[in-house]
Amino acid sequence: MSNFHHDEEFRLHTPEFDALNKKLDRRDFLTKTSLGLGALAVGSLFGNSLFGSSPKAAMSAAQGDLEADILRALPHFAPKAKRVVYLFQSGGPSQFELFDYKPKLTSMLGQNLPDSVRKGQRLTGMSANQSVLPMVPSYYKFNQHGESQTWMSELMPHTAQVVDDLCIIKSMHSEAINHDPAITFFQTGNQLPGRPSIGSWISYGLGSDNNNLPTFIVLVSKNGQKDQPLYARLWGNGFLPSKHQGVQFRAGKDPVLYLNNPDGYDGKDRKEMLEYLSKLNQLQNQAYGDPEVEARISQYEMAYRMQTSVPEVMSMADEPNEVFEMYGPDSRDSGTYAANCLLARKLLEKDVKFVQLYHQGWDQHTNLPSAIATQCKATDQATAALIKDLKRRGLLEDTLVIWGGEFGRTVYSQGKLTANDYGRDHHPRCFTMWMAGAGVKPGITYGETDDFSYNITKDPVHVHDFQATLMRLMGIDHERLTYKFQGRRFRLTDVEGKVVKDILS
């Protein structure tokens, strides 16, 4: 053991190591080098040629080579989907009022949830102290639609028109029972913040098909009810290079913050400034070999190109009246859910690979009948219009459309139950979401729940299964797309997830 320590000490006290220590103190060195001291030891086995003139640059290069090998293998399969639009309904839409028809509940109004159904499962703090858990059927009627004869709520007449294009999954389940960890789990594969989002993983793995727009773009409805906050880390890059983070497009004169030229600058001045800034960044990159410097350079270059591409894609001047009529009157109001659905179609036409919409307001603990009707009125027509619009333009066949929230709602009423009013608490054990388009079977319903939509009885689909299936449709093996961080290789699905092959076409 003593010889080992002696050899290790001898290897580390090289001229290259001493030169590096002149630039970095011990904490900076351990924090900023991507492979740490082990890389130097490994390098000594192959001679100084591995390091070249800069040990730290060589260590970054070694890390880069490992990641490059992973990326060179992509896509792992022939992709069914070239692009994704994910319509995230923040707050937890109630499956009872929308998709999961439970007629037997009509005769059980007000009865306490049986212990044999609950099975001791966890409740939130909002209903855990209720003396009874009175069951309540949907306030709204259901009818069968399409050739598939799928049951759909009267709240979604427009979605009912495209039901034969949908693959409805009724057996989704999650481990998180509160909003922030549940949303974070869906978007990053972990309930704790800090991991890369789905769009960032797609950007990292597959790159861009349009050099003038970001690979990953985020749209947030401006008029959604702000019952639960949305954090930018939900579309963050985590430990991936920052160029893979989602870029939020906003309503108004500045769709992308800090994109326009500062006061007193014209296009020529801006270009000259960016050229000099790029040279400074390149010098810094040569000195330290930090991959984030390269990311910074590419982001500045993208921002310059976006000064032309963003105004073009944001303009609705060329859209005919029939398109606005199809998406609904709100589509003329920039930043609404309907307008964002229309903008999403334009971005997909430009080959943006991952478009994420967030719409808040589905957290209906009280006043559910009227609140969910308001939500459906704001979203139903535009959601269906997006499916129709993509289909008629030939884009649906290679675009994956996803609709869903972070969990579902309980069969029992939270708080006071009356003839016309009730609420529902969070329920992660089973809920509904749907997919449509590239690579998924249209007009099917997958998975089954019990008569109380409280437990799954057939074909469960976990959050990691959903993520694995999404990536499979994009041509990615979710177990092979990894990134090394703090000594471990991470992936979107962590150590779980299986592709739901039965829903693939």
Side-chain angles (χ1 to χ4, degrees):
M1 184 64 71
S2 59
N3 288 338
F4 172 81
H5 284 301
H6 175 77
D7 293 343
E8 193 73 12
E9 183 178 0
F10 175 77
R11 282 200 296 267
L12 292 179
H13 284 83
T14 61
E16 292 88 349
F17 182 78
D18 292 337
L20 181 61
N21 266 334
K22 290 180 181 179
K23 292 184 178 181
L24 299 170
D25 62 25
R26 182 175 180 273
R27 176 173 295 180
D28 284 340
F29 175 70
L30 292 174
T31 301
K32 295 178 181 178
T33 54
S34 53
L35 295 181
L37 301 180
L40 284 167
V42 171
S44 70
L45 300 177
F46 294 93
N48 290 334
S49 60
L50 174 64
F51 286 159
S53 60
S54 170
K56 184 174 181 185
M59 284 184 283
S60 294
Q63 164 77 346
D65 287 345
L66 291 171
E67 306 307 336
D69 288 342
I70 292 172
L71 298 181
R72 274 193 291 268
L74 286 160
H76 303 126
F77 316 101
K80 295 290 185 71
K82 294 181 179 179
R83 59 196 79 84
V84 176
V85 55
Y86 190 169
L87 311 175
F88 192 84
Q89 312 300 316
S90 175
S94 171
Q95 71 275 21
F96 292 95
E97 277 66 35
L98 302 178
F99 302 105
D100 204 1
Y101 182 41
K102 298 300 178 185
K104 290 185 179 181
L105 286 177
T106 303
S107 61
M108 300 180 184
L109 174 63
Q111 294 181 24
N112 194 39
L113 176 66
D115 291 340
S116 61
V117 175
R118 183 189 163 192
K119 299 178 181 179
Q121 293 174 30
R122 178 186 178 193
L123 304 180
T124 76
M126 292 169 284
S127 59
N129 294 323
Q130 288 186 201
S131 58
V132 294
L133 301 173
M135 294 184 291
V136 54
S138 173
Y139 185 78
Y140 295 97
K141 297 178 181 178
F142 276 68
N143 293 290
Q144 290 177 288
H145 295 273
E147 293 183 7
S148 58
Q149 289 293 285
T150 301
W151 289 99
M152 291 283 293
S153 169
E154 63 178 315
L155 288 172
M156 307 186 85
H158 296 279
T159 303
Q161 294 175 11
V162 297
V163 71
D164 285 336
D165 293 307
L166 309 184
C167 171
I168 299 174
I169 304 172
K170 291 186 177 180
S171 53
M172 287 298 307
H173 65 103
S174 175
E175 297 155 22
I177 200 170
N178 289 311
H179 294 285
D180 191 5
I183 297 176
T184 304
F185 193 32
F186 251 105
Q187 299 306 310
T188 71
N190 195 280
Q191 295 185 45
L192 299 177
R195 301 283 184 91
S197 58
I198 298 177
S200 294
W201 278 112
I202 296 296
S203 173
Y204 166 68
L206 299 179
S208 175
D209 293 328
N210 184 336
N211 291 327
N212 296 320
L213 287 169
T215 306
F216 177 21
I217 293 177
V218 175
L219 308 171
V220 180
S221 300
K222 71 177 184 180
N223 58 349
Q225 301 175 39
K226 305 299 189 291
D227 46 20
Q228 295 296 329
L230 292 173
Y231 302 101
R233 57 176 167 75
L234 294 174
W235 49 91
N237 56 293
F239 44 69
L240 294 176
S242 57
K243 66 180 180 180
H244 299 300
Q245 68 183 329
V247 177
Q248 186 178 351
F249 279 26
R250 296 166 166 85
K253 65 177 183 178
D254 294 320
V256 180
L257 297 181
Y258 313 115
L259 185 63
N260 293 334
N261 292 327
D263 293 340
Y265 276 75
D266 59 22
K268 183 179 179 182
D269 293 335
R270 181 75 157 181
K271 183 176 182 182
E272 185 177 5
M273 181 195 73
L274 291 175
E275 287 175 349
Y276 280 114
L277 187 60
S278 177
K279 291 178 181 178
L280 290 173
N281 283 327
Q282 288 169 4
L283 289 172
Q284 186 180 12
N285 190 37
Q286 291 170 7
Y288 295 104
D290 187 346
E292 275 302 307
V293 178
E294 294 182 355
R296 188 189 309 159
I297 293 171
S298 66
Q299 285 171 319
Y300 278 123
E301 293 172 347
M302 171 62 76
Y304 183 74
R305 296 193 297 271
M306 285 169 62
Q307 286 188 326
T308 300
S309 61
V310 169
E312 176 189 353
V313 77
M314 294 293 292
S315 174
M316 299 291 177
D318 294 335
E319 295 293 335
N321 287 333
E322 66 176 43
V323 170
F324 291 108
E325 292 171 0
M326 181 169 62
Y327 282 85
D330 285 349
S331 62
R332 296 182 184 273
D333 184 4
S334 179
T336 62
Y337 179 84
N340 283 345
C341 282
L342 177 52
L343 177 57
R345 189 222 77 205
K346 290 171 64 69
L347 293 169
L348 296 168
E349 281 185 308
K350 297 290 185 180
D351 286 322
V352 173
K353 198 168 290 292
F354 201 98
V355 182
Q356 177 104 46
L357 275 71
Y358 286 93
H359 185 78
Q360 296 162 279
W362 295 94
D363 189 25
Q364 291 139 7
H365 293 272
T366 59
N367 197 31
L368 186 146
S370 62
I372 199 167
T374 300
Q375 284 293 93
C376 289
K377 184 176 181 181
T379 60
D380 173 49
Q381 182 173 352
T383 298
L386 180 59
I387 297 288
K388 295 175 184 177
D389 208 3
L390 291 172
K391 191 173 184 179
R392 71 177 186 168
R393 294 168 186 269
L395 292 171
L396 188 61
E397 61 189 27
D398 54 13
T399 300
L400 178 64
V401 185
I402 303 166
W403 187 102
E406 65 269 36
F407 42 54
R409 313 304 292 198
T410 55
V411 65
Y412 59 82
S413 175
Q414 179 183 333
K416 187 176 181 180
L417 170 61
T418 69
N420 299 313
D421 196 21
Y422 55 89
R424 297 190 191 274
D425 204 353
H426 309 165
H427 189 60
R429 295 291 298 173
C430 57
F431 55 101
T432 301
M433 62 188 302
W434 57 255
M435 307 168 80
V440 296
K441 293 177 181 177
I444 71 165
T445 298
Y446 185 80
E448 296 177 6
T449 61
D450 60 20
D451 291 334
F452 309 89
S453 195
Y454 207 86
N455 299 292
I456 295 169
T457 58
K458 183 180 179 182
D459 297 327
V461 179
H462 187 264
V463 173
H464 286 315
D465 300 337
F466 157 74
Q467 293 162 341
T469 305
L470 186 160
M471 298 189 83
R472 177 64 176 83
L473 290 167
M474 296 294 289
I476 299 172
D477 181 340
H478 70 105
E479 294 183 349
R480 294 166 62 190
L481 180 59
T482 63
Y483 189 87
K484 190 171 185 180
F485 176 67
Q486 294 184 343
R488 176 194 159 186
R489 290 207 166 275
F490 288 87
R491 68 188 205 219
L492 172 64
T493 52
D494 198 33
V495 295
E496 300 179 79
K498 62 182 184 300
V499 175
V500 187
K501 296 180 179 180
D502 289 342
I503 71 170
L504 303 183
S505 59

